[in-house]
Every structure is written in C-alpha cells, then in structure tokens.
Amino acid sequence: MTDLPVTPALEEIPDGEPDRIEATVDLTLRRLLARYDGRAIRRGVHPKDHGCVTATFTVADPLPETLRVGVFTTPGQVFDAFIRFSNADVDPEKADSAVEDDGVAHGSRGMAVKVLGVTGEPLVTSNLTTKYGPLNQDFLMVNQPVFAFANVEDYEALSQILLDHADDPSGFFARLGDPDPAISGRARVTGAIVKRIAAAAFQPAPASPLDNSYFGAAPFLFGEGRAMRFRARPVAPDADAAADFADPGYLRAGLRRRLSAAAGQDIVFEFQVQVRDAASLSTALPDLIENACNDWPDIPFETVARIAIPPQDADPDTPERRALCENLIFSPWNGLAAHRPLGGINRLRRLVYEISARIRKPSGTCPFSAPTPTG
Ligand code: HEM
C-alpha cells in the first residue's frame, strides 16, 4: 500500500495500523459495490447533497503573527471557494430527518469547503490546472465537534459489521461487553456520541444547512510543530425558523429559502481554529491526536478567516449545478502540507476517500481534481 507521510512529533501510530487501513479500504470497497449492486456508485458516505454554493474565503485582517500559517499566511487575502452541504447517511434516498415513533432522527450533516487556488507545498500532487491553479485546500466538516469512532481499530470493526449486515451498525455495540476495558470504554463513548448524549455532540436540528456550526472533528497540522482543530460558525443563524421535518428534503428547501431571504446580503460563517503546540501534546498524543472522539475544550477558538456566501448567480437546483455538485471531489488530504491531517482516523481517510472518488469516477479523472465552478 502507499506509504503515508507522518509527523513523528505529533503522531503515534499504533502497531498493526497499516494492515488495518488496508483491510478497511477493502471492506469499504466491497460494501460500496454491494450497496449499489450494478447501479451508478455514489459517494461512500455523504451521498445526498442539499446544494452547492459559491463563496469567498477571506483570511482575517488583522491576524496575529502566530496564526499566519498555510492558507492563513496573508491577512486579508481573498480566495474563491465552493461549498457542498450534505447528509452523512450512506443512503441518498433517505429523508433528511425521518419522523419515527420515538421522535425525529436528526442525523449528521456535512459542510465541505474547497478553497480555490491556494499556494504552498502540496500534500498530494495533481497534474490538473483549473483557472484557479493546481492547488486547492479542502476543509471537510460535520455538525458535531467529535467523530464517533476513536481510531482505525474501531473503524475497521465497524466496517466489517456494515459489510456483514447491509449497513446496519448496531452490531458494533457488542464491543460494550468486550473483556478489554479499552475496547468497551471506547464503545461506550461512541454510543454516547451517536445517541447524542455526549455533551455538545449535536446541535438542535437546523431549519437550513446555513444555521448550524460545523467542525473538522479531527486534528490537522498548523504549520511545523503545531496542531489545529477547526470549525465554521454561522454569524447570524436564523434562530426562529422551525425545521419542516415532514419534507424529506427540507434542508435543500431551507438552503434555497435562506439564500433568497438574504435579500442581497452575504451569509457569513467565521472559520475558527484551536491551536496546540508540540509541547502541550507531547504527553497526550493518544488522547488529543490519536483519539478522534476527543475534542479540546480547554483551548479557545480564534477566528482566522471569514466564509461569505453571496447571493448566487446560479440556482443551486438546476441540473447543471446538481451535476457539478455530484462530481466535485473533496478529501482532507487535498491541500497544503502545512495542514496535513493528523491521527489514525485521518490517516485512514486518505485511501478511503481516494477509492470512493475513483470508483464513482471510472474515467480515471484525477481524484483530487477540482471541477471549476462556472455556475
Ligand atoms: C473527522 C471525521 C470526518 C469528517 C469531518 C468527515 C466529513 C466528510 C464530509 C463533509 C464529506 C462530504 C464531502 C463532499 O461533500 O463531497 C465526507 C465524505 C466522505 N467521507 Fe468523511 N468524514 C470524516 C471521517 C470519515 C472516515 C473515518 C471515513 C472512512 C474511513 C470517511 C469516509 C468518507 C467517504 C468515503 C466520503 C466520500 C468521498 C467521495 O466519494 O468523494 N469519512 N466526509
């Protein structure tokens, strides 16, 4: 398998992880083929989008010297960006929030931001040049601060269960009874996150994808010797609008409604980071870097950029825009070496995203290409 670059001072790779990654990639591929069974294959997760929008990504100005890293090197620099909003659920036909006997199932949502035409040392090379240049920085986020599975070992176990039980993850919780307290303890934390009883794991259901905060949910490099976690937080969410659960596509409708109700104004998210240096991590790598279920509540978020979604020139619902949205390819490994993904879950993501993108683009298109958002 491909050698993964690592950042030794900031990562601690468990024994056997490369084999587990290889096995998980294989399980994921087999599940994808079985799920679509001859039909056109969609994204491995997050296949249902609510719409894609053009945006700008503006580095904060002023910005303290210590935060001028990677994409954020030049205060005030404005990048064009493209954003795809999605449901995490593997089933693209599922209602955004299913109304069930015991309440409304409000799943995990995604916000994937592609910052176009960045400069610096790339993590992966691409021979494709768009009008923005060859290099883009992707920031993939979900609307919860932590990921539900701690490490590659747990994700491999989950992947085997999803393959054996047609995407039903419930068998994962047999690990609650595992004699190894490390395994049963992690399963308890996963349960608390997916059932939303973990503190602050989930926000209330938003009426539109523009009314939630989204989190990177894993650590990334912040220049040499430091690590970051990031989030995007709406500056003026619509707190009064109620989610219309009866509409299976209410998040797409909500996005459209919010964009037209903005009356010519931009809809704005602050892009914020928490930063730790190697010294503060040195004794805590297993907890703070290698366990994606942990966040960093002790570190304040600082604003490093502003994402502005202007009134859209193109209706996000046209067949052309929907096709563009479907064909976009995001990966946490698409971007600058200064923002290298860290930790086991992120090391796993590199190959999984690559095969998911490759298999849904059989033409051999570069998996990290960025179709130019021309409207
Ligand atoms: C920190 C944890 C994670 C976050 C924040 C995250 C977020 C996202 C988001 C927002 C998307 C949608 C991208 C788009 O709009 O195209 C996505 C896609 C995807 N994610 Fe994740 N994800 C995480 C962990 C994982 C893990 C652990 C796996 C599996 C090992 C995974 C597998 C995938 C796959 C296969 C896709 C579709 C890729 C494609 O076909 O282009 N994700 N993820």
Side-chain angles (χ1 to χ4, degrees):
M1 65 174 269
T2 322
D3 282 341
L4 288 176
V6 294
T7 310
L10 294 179
E11 291 180 278
E12 197 170 278
I13 303 182
D15 288 345
E17 187 185 274
D19 290 342
R20 289 189 185 283
I21 289 180
E22 204 165 336
T24 308
V25 169
D26 180 57
L27 291 164
T28 305
L29 185 56
R30 286 162 59 199
R31 182 64 211 127
L32 256 176
L33 293 171
R35 185 183 303 145
Y36 285 96
D37 193 20
R39 292 172 294 139
I41 293 178
R42 310 274 301 269
R43 283 167 172 79
V45 284
H46 294 264
K48 180 177 180 180
D49 72 271
H50 312 307
C52 281
V53 294
T54 53
T56 54
F57 187 94
T58 304
V59 180
D61 187 9
L63 185 66
E65 196 78 45
T66 52
L67 297 177
R68 296 185 194 173
V69 168
V71 171
F72 316 104
T73 299
T74 309
Q77 186 169 6
V78 184
F79 298 97
D80 283 332
F82 211 61
I83 304 176
R84 178 177 181 269
F85 293 100
S86 59
N87 286 343
D89 199 287
V90 298
D91 183 354
E93 306 305 328
K94 221 185 226 177
D96 291 341
S97 292
V99 184
E100 296 165 351
D101 291 346
D102 54 351
V104 174
H106 167 47
S108 180
R109 320 290 181 196
M111 175 183 186
V113 180
K114 192 175 279 299
V115 184
L116 299 161
V118 301
T119 50
E121 185 195 342
L123 263 174
V124 290
T125 47
S126 158
N127 57 7
L128 186 112
T129 301
T130 68
K131 76 172 186 183
Y132 296 95
L135 187 56
N136 306 312
Q137 174 69 50
D138 291 355
F139 291 115
L140 282 76
M141 295 172 277
V142 285
N143 61 341
Q144 63 198 65
V146 289
F147 190 59
F149 298 90
N151 56 24
V152 177
E153 182 185 337
D154 286 0
Y155 206 87
E156 182 191 11
L158 171 75
S159 303
Q160 184 70 60
I161 286 157
L162 294 176
L163 179 65
D164 294 345
H165 302 279
D167 286 327
D168 177 356
S170 47
F172 180 82
F173 294 103
R175 289 165 82 83
L176 287 168
D178 196 286
D180 180 341
I183 293 177
S184 55
R186 292 199 306 269
R188 263 196 304 282
V189 173
T190 294
I193 294 169
V194 299
K195 293 189 189 109
R196 295 164 212 180
I197 47 183
F202 280 83
Q203 304 153 81
S208 94
L210 300 173
D211 300 313
N212 249 203
S213 289
Y214 296 86
F215 304 81
F220 291 76
L221 203 62
F222 193 71
E224 247 351 276
R226 289 189 294 168
M228 69 166 172
R229 296 178 69 93
F230 56 82
R231 75 175 177 196
R233 198 171 69 152
V235 167
D238 184 349
D240 298 330
D244 178 10
F245 297 129
D247 175 357
Y250 74 90
L251 287 168
R252 173 172 286 275
L255 176 67
R256 223 189 142 97
R257 180 177 41 72
R258 283 282 270 121
L259 287 172
S260 45
Q265 301 293 307
D266 290 352
I267 290 175
V268 176
F269 286 82
E270 287 171 326
F271 190 86
Q272 302 181 315
V273 295
Q274 295 169 297
V275 180
R276 292 194 106 99
D277 61 20
S280 93
L281 288 164
S282 60
T283 56
L285 289 180
D287 281 343
L288 297 179
I289 298 289
E290 297 297 341
N291 185 331
C293 292
N294 291 335
D295 58 353
W296 301 347
D298 54 324
I299 304 283
F301 277 98
E302 296 176 86
T303 300
V304 288
R306 176 181 192 269
I307 298 170
I309 303 173
Q312 297 290 292
D313 294 337
D315 177 349
D317 276 347
T318 62
E320 295 74 25
R321 181 55 76 95
R322 289 186 83 141
L324 170 66
C325 202
E326 188 65 21
N327 287 330
L328 278 171
I329 294 169
F330 292 88
S331 166
W333 285 86
N334 184 30
L336 296 178
H339 302 311
R340 180 196 304 284
L342 298 174
I345 284 294
N346 266 335
R347 290 188 293 273
L348 167 65
R349 290 169 83 190
R350 179 174 177 176
L351 286 176
V352 172
Y353 282 65
E354 195 172 321
I355 58 132
S356 172
R358 273 192 201 284
I359 200 167
R360 66 188 175 86
K361 295 197 75 76
S363 61
T365 311
C366 167
F368 296 125
S369 64
T372 307
T374 48

